[in-house]
């Protein structure tokens, strides 16, 4: 049955074709509209095979293959408020939304447009076309061809974006980096928006469908030729006109017409400046002189101040050593301050010339940048362009009558200004400083560092100990303003005196006791022994005898043992003396011996008479 139906259909088709080709001038579209498809499907209409082939050739010649997704050209046949009807010689016209023609607001009937068949037949049997997709396909082909052939393309700058601009090229949104807009830095991107410019396609990313274009590449070739010509004519000392291209903290880049040169900040002005923008501004035209360049002339050093006469050459001849001048502090260093006397002419005030004080301080203690100061010219060398100034010379030298104001042994009050390991600097008045050695701070305290005794800013009473006018030095003492308590202690704690005290500390070689806040005595180990043979310990109270007193070295040595041993020695000496006295009493004298001998003689004579 299927085979019979197929044969019937073929016969019907053949018959229909035969009828169609009988009038070869008939329009294919008209034929299709008048063709009885119902009879054809039922197998009633029959078409000859030869006529059917002829019909198929006519269809192939006049109609597009809607199944082939190729870009075809269509004609606008009608435009509604929202859509455009496009004829592409298919069974029916296609429909495209007017949104796809926003780039072409002048679209009208009869215009030829490129389209791509999007849907061959929608639910209503309508052919759906896409102009946007067709443009995209054709655009990528054109962009790739332009890139491969290095052709110049035209594009419309749509808007700004981060780092550059978005450009419409053949309907594709390409990226124009800010560095590729022009050979010089661009500060106002908005001036290029909504402009049509020429570009060169420099990069295509096929994976992400990204396109990068450059306008700078079009003009670089011309600039390179211009640059070579300019470089070949460069000579040292040559004056050229340029435009300020870029300003940095260290200098200014000048565009000399395709060639860039650098004016270092020190070559911008004879005066000191903190930043180049104090002298020049962007896009400013100015003349510069070529100072130097490398062998390839790729690094060109330019100068601006060299076009003007050096300020030292214009310095008035009337200025001489000893004159008073006024100027502004422009730079401060640890060793001094630079004063601009006239524009471009500076003098140095060394810190030693800022005050009569011999105790030097930092320049920041005297002046600040921007201060207007008056000074005296101390040295002036016009050939080497050097000038030294002084501030202290504006006031009398306080050392002029120093012997009258501060004679030796006179007492004064001063302010502690600074410490050293060996003493304290005290300011008696501006320009008059004296040194108190650490040994002259106190009669009694053992001071390791002056900060243990006083603080910076404290007021101290002092006595002038020594005065060196030529060396401008004062030796002061603080302890000399009070009585030396050791003079009194020399009598109170004389050798042999006995005092009661408590052992405050025990050390390796002995122990210490404190008689008062000033005197701490040392007891050697062997002098700690008590009468019973034991030794005194920390906290024990006992009597001590002074066995050494040195006022100069503030040394006091005492002994407990000496107290009872001396008593023993006294007792021994007394016993010996008494024993000696007893012995003396028991001894016969010469007279006694004579008397004894006489009595013995008398007795012997009496005995002999009796006989």
């Amino acid at each position: 049955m299927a085979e019979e139906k197929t044969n019937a259909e073929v016969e019907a088709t053949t018959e229909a074709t035969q009828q169609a080709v009988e009038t070869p001038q008939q329009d294919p579209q008209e034929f299709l509209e008048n063709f009885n498809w119902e009879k054809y499907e039922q197998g009633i209409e029959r078409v000859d095979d030869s006529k059917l082939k002829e019909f198929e050739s006519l269809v192939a010649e006049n109609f597009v293959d809607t199944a082939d997704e190729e870009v075809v050209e269509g004609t606008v046949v009608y435009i509604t408020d929202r859509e455009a009807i496009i004829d592409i010689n298919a069974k029916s016209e296609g429909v495209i939304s007017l949104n796809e023609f926003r780039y072409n607001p002048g679209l009208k009937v009869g215009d030829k447009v490129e389209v791509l068949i999007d849907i061959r037949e929608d639910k209503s049997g309508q052919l759906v076309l896409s102009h946007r997709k067709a443009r995209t396909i054709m655009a990528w082909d054109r962009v790739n061809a332009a890139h491969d052939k290095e052709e110049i393309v035209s594009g419309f700058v749509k808007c700004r974006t981060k780092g550059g601009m978005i450009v419409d090229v053949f309907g594709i949104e390409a990226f124009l980096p800010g560095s590729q807009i022009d050979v010089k830095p661009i500060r106002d991107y908005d001036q290029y928006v909504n402009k049509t410019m020429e570009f060169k396609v420099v990069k295509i990313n096929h994976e992400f469908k990204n396109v990068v274009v450059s306008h700078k590449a079009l003009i670089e070739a011309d600039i390179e030729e211009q640059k070579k010509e300019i470089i070949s004519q460069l000579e040292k000392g040559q004056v050229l006109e340029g435009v300020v291209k870029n300003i940095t903290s260290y200098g200014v880049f000048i565009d000399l017409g395709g060639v860039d040169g650098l004016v270092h900040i020190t070559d911008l002005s004879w005066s000191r400046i903190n930043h180049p923008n104090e002298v020049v501004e962007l896009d400013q035209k100015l003349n510069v002189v070529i100072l130097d360049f490398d062998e390839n002339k790729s690094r060109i050093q330019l100068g601006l101040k060299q076009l003007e006469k050096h300020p030292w050459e214009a310095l008035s001849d009337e200025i001489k050593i000893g004159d008073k001048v006024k100027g502004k502090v422009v730079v401060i260093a640890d060793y001094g301050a630079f004063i601009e006397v006239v524009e471009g002419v500076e003098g140095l005030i060394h810190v030693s010339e800022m005050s009569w004080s011999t105790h030097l301080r930092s320049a920041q203690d005297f002046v600040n940048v921007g201060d207007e100061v008056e000074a005296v010219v101390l040295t002036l060398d016009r050939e080497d362009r050097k000038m030294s100034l002084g501030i202290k010379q504006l006031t009398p030298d306080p050392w002029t009558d120093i012997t009258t104001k501060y004679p030796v042994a006179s007492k004064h009050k001063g302010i502690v200004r600074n410490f050293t390991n060996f003493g304290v600097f005290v300011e008696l008045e501006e320009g008059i400083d004296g040194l108190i050695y650490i040994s002259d701070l106190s009669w009694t305290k053992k001071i390791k560092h002056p900060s243990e005794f006083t603080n910076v800013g404290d007021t101290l009473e002092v006595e002038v100990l020594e005065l060196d006018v030529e060396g401008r030095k004062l030796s002061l003492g603080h302890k000399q303003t009070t009585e030396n308590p050791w003079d009194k202690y020399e009598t109170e704690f004389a050798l042999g005196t006995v005092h009661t005290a408590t052992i405050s500390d025990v050390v390796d070689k002995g122990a210490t006791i404190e008689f008062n806040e000033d005197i701490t005595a040392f007891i050697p180990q062997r002098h700690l022994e008590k009468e019973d043979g034991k030794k005194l310990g920390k906290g024990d109270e006992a009597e001590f005898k002074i066995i050494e007193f040195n006022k100069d070295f503030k040394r006091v040595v005492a002994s407990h043992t000496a107290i009872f041993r001396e008593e023993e020695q006294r007792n021994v000496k007394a016993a010996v003396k008494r024993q000696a006295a007893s012995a003396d009493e028991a001894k016969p004298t010469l007279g006694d011996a004579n008397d004894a001998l006489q009595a013995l003689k008398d007795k012997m004579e009496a005995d002999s008479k009796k006989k």
Side-chain angles (χ1 to χ4, degrees):
M1 291 295 292
E3 185 177 352
E4 291 177 1
K5 187 175 182 181
T6 302
N7 291 336
E9 290 177 354
V10 172
E11 290 175 1
T13 304
T14 304
E15 184 178 352
T17 304
Q18 183 176 1
Q19 293 176 3
V21 297
E22 287 178 357
T23 55
Q25 293 80 12
Q26 187 177 8
D27 182 37
Q29 185 67 27
E30 182 181 353
F31 169 77
L32 291 174
E33 292 175 355
N34 297 329
F35 186 76
N36 192 333
W37 291 96
E38 184 178 356
K39 289 183 178 181
Y40 170 73
E41 291 177 354
Q42 293 177 358
I44 299 174
E45 296 287 344
R46 297 182 178 275
V47 181
D48 186 72
D49 289 342
S50 61
K51 299 298 182 180
L52 182 61
K53 290 180 180 180
E54 185 177 354
F55 172 74
E56 289 175 351
S57 66
L58 288 172
V59 172
E61 182 180 349
N62 290 279
F63 291 96
V64 298
D65 183 6
T66 58
D68 189 2
E69 293 186 355
E70 291 183 359
V71 176
V72 297
E73 187 177 67
T75 304
V76 180
V77 295
Y78 187 72
I79 298 177
T80 68
D81 293 339
R82 297 166 56 184
E83 299 171 329
I85 311 301
I86 311 296
D87 180 15
I88 62 169
N89 285 335
K91 288 192 301 181
S92 62
E93 288 84 0
V95 179
I96 299 178
S97 173
L98 286 179
N99 288 334
E100 298 192 22
F101 295 98
R102 283 181 297 178
Y103 75 96
N104 184 9
L107 183 70
K108 62 184 181 298
V109 174
D111 286 352
K112 301 291 184 181
V113 294
E114 293 169 337
V115 296
L116 182 71
I117 299 169
D118 199 4
I119 302 176
R120 287 181 293 169
E121 196 173 294
D122 61 8
K123 293 180 180 179
S124 61
Q126 182 68 53
L127 179 66
V128 180
L129 306 176
S130 174
H131 177 61
R132 179 180 57 80
K133 292 181 179 179
R135 285 188 72 214
T136 301
I137 293 174
M138 296 302 295
W140 273 103
D141 292 340
R142 292 175 184 173
V143 167
N144 280 281
H147 179 263
D148 295 339
K149 298 178 182 179
E150 297 186 353
E151 295 178 348
I152 298 174
V153 299
S154 180
F156 178 76
V157 181
K158 296 176 65 176
C159 62
R160 285 189 59 180
T161 188
K162 185 177 181 180
M165 317 287 289
I166 298 298
V167 180
D168 187 322
V169 179
F170 302 138
I172 295 177
E173 288 190 346
F175 178 60
L176 172 64
S179 61
Q180 296 299 315
I181 298 177
D182 205 338
V183 291
K184 59 183 179 180
I186 302 301
R187 288 175 286 277
D188 182 15
Y189 284 72
D190 293 331
Q191 62 180 314
Y192 296 96
V193 177
N194 296 328
K195 285 188 178 181
T196 299
M197 302 170 60
E198 290 185 335
F199 302 97
K200 187 175 180 180
V201 181
V202 294
K203 185 178 181 180
I204 297 178
N205 188 318
H206 295 280
E207 182 180 357
F208 297 101
K209 299 294 183 182
N210 292 335
V211 178
V212 180
V213 296
S214 171
H215 178 69
K216 176 182 176 182
L218 299 179
I219 56 179
E220 278 184 332
D222 295 337
I223 291 178
E224 191 63 30
E225 292 297 325
Q226 184 180 358
K227 183 176 179 180
K228 290 180 181 178
E229 183 179 354
I230 294 174
I231 288 177
S232 64
Q233 299 176 358
L234 291 181
E235 295 180 2
K236 292 182 182 180
Q238 185 179 9
V239 178
L240 300 174
E241 184 182 61
V243 178
V244 178
K245 180 179 180 180
N246 191 21
I247 299 177
T248 68
S249 60
Y250 56 85
V252 178
F253 287 93
I254 306 295
D255 183 0
L256 301 175
V259 180
D260 291 346
L262 173 65
V263 182
H264 194 269
I265 186 172
T266 56
D267 291 316
L268 283 171
S269 172
W270 291 114
S271 300
R272 290 180 185 263
I273 57 174
N274 296 318
H275 197 277
N277 56 21
E278 299 176 16
V279 180
V280 298
E281 57 185 18
L282 288 173
D283 299 325
Q284 179 183 348
K285 289 184 178 180
L286 44 79
N287 290 329
V288 290
V289 60
I290 298 176
L291 302 180
D292 200 1
F293 45 74
D294 58 10
E295 294 181 359
N296 299 325
K297 297 184 180 179
S298 58
R299 292 188 177 183
I300 304 172
Q301 182 181 347
L302 305 174
L304 181 63
K305 71 179 184 181
Q306 287 78 5
L307 296 176
E308 300 177 356
K309 190 176 182 180
H310 197 289
W312 271 91
E313 298 175 6
L315 186 64
S316 173
D317 294 334
E318 296 180 358
I319 297 179
K320 58 185 181 299
I321 295 175
D323 287 351
K324 295 180 181 179
V325 294
K326 291 183 178 181
K328 183 174 68 174
V329 179
V330 290
V331 175
I332 293 181
D334 290 337
Y335 55 85
F338 288 91
I339 311 299
E340 188 175 54
V341 178
V342 297
E343 186 176 357
V345 177
E346 296 177 359
L348 171 64
I349 303 179
H350 193 272
V351 67
S352 62
E353 302 299 338
M354 292 182 174
S355 170
W356 288 110
S357 175
T358 56
H359 176 51
L360 299 183
R361 288 174 278 176
S362 175
Q364 287 90 338
D365 295 335
F366 298 96
V367 293
N368 298 308
V369 173
D371 288 352
E372 294 285 343
V373 299
E374 186 178 26
V376 176
V377 178
L378 303 181
T379 64
L380 181 61
D381 189 337
R382 295 178 182 271
E383 185 176 346
D384 290 338
R385 296 171 179 173
K386 291 182 179 180
M387 181 189 303
S388 63
L389 307 172
I391 295 178
K392 70 182 184 181
Q393 289 76 11
L394 296 172
T395 58
D397 184 353
W399 282 81
T400 303
D401 57 349
I402 190 72
T403 54
T404 303
K405 295 171 64 177
Y406 301 102
V408 174
S410 62
K411 290 180 173 59
H412 310 274
K413 288 186 178 182
I415 299 175
V416 177
R417 291 301 185 191
N418 196 14
F419 292 146
T420 66
N421 289 331
F422 54 84
V424 179
F425 283 99
V426 176
E427 184 181 61
L428 300 180
E429 66 173 86
E430 181 66 30
I432 303 296
D433 291 344
L435 174 63
I436 304 176
Y437 282 99
I438 196 169
S439 59
D440 288 320
L441 287 172
S442 173
W443 289 113
T444 58
K445 292 181 180 179
K446 293 182 179 180
I447 302 170
K448 294 180 179 180
H449 191 273
S451 59
E452 300 174 7
F453 183 81
T454 186
N455 298 308
V456 173
D458 287 353
T459 299
L460 287 181
E461 290 189 1
V462 295
E463 180 179 315
V464 178
L465 305 181
E466 295 181 15
L467 177 59
D468 183 357
V469 178
E470 187 175 345
R472 304 173 78 92
K473 292 181 180 179
L474 267 177
S475 178
L476 306 175
H478 172 66
K479 71 180 184 180
Q480 288 79 5
T481 60
T482 60
E483 183 181 355
N484 186 354
W486 285 83
D487 292 339
K488 178 181 65 175
Y489 296 150
E490 188 175 19
T491 303
E492 184 180 350
F493 296 93
L495 289 175
T497 57
V498 177
H499 307 271
T500 301
T502 302
I503 303 289
S504 59
D505 196 11
V506 177
V507 295
D508 292 341
K509 295 183 179 181
T512 58
I513 56 175
E514 295 180 358
F515 290 128
N516 57 38
E517 61 179 5
D518 295 330
I519 296 182
T520 299
F522 177 71
I523 300 94
Q525 190 73 249
R526 68 179 185 275
H527 290 275
L528 289 172
E529 186 176 344
K530 296 188 291 183
E531 190 171 2
D532 58 3
K534 297 180 180 180
K535 289 189 176 182
L536 293 172
K538 185 175 180 180
D540 290 346
E541 184 180 65
E543 289 185 336
F544 297 92
K545 185 177 183 179
I546 305 299
I547 59 176
E548 181 181 346
F549 185 92
N550 190 317
K551 182 178 72 173
D552 296 331
F553 294 99
K554 300 179 178 60
R555 175 180 170 85
V556 179
V557 180
S559 172
H560 172 68
T561 306
I563 292 177
F564 66 82
R565 283 189 177 171
E566 184 178 355
E567 184 67 27
E568 289 180 354
Q569 290 177 357
R570 283 200 300 269
N571 293 336
V572 169
K573 288 181 180 179
V576 170
K577 188 175 183 180
R578 286 195 301 271
Q579 186 176 4
S582 300
D584 288 342
E585 290 178 0
K587 276 182 185 178
T589 63
L590 182 60
D592 293 338
N594 290 333
D595 291 341
L597 289 174
Q598 186 63 42
L600 181 60
K601 181 179 179 182
D602 292 341
K603 185 179 180 182
M604 291 176 65
E605 289 179 353
D607 290 339
S608 69
K609 288 179 177 180
K610 289 179 179 181
K611 292 180 177 180

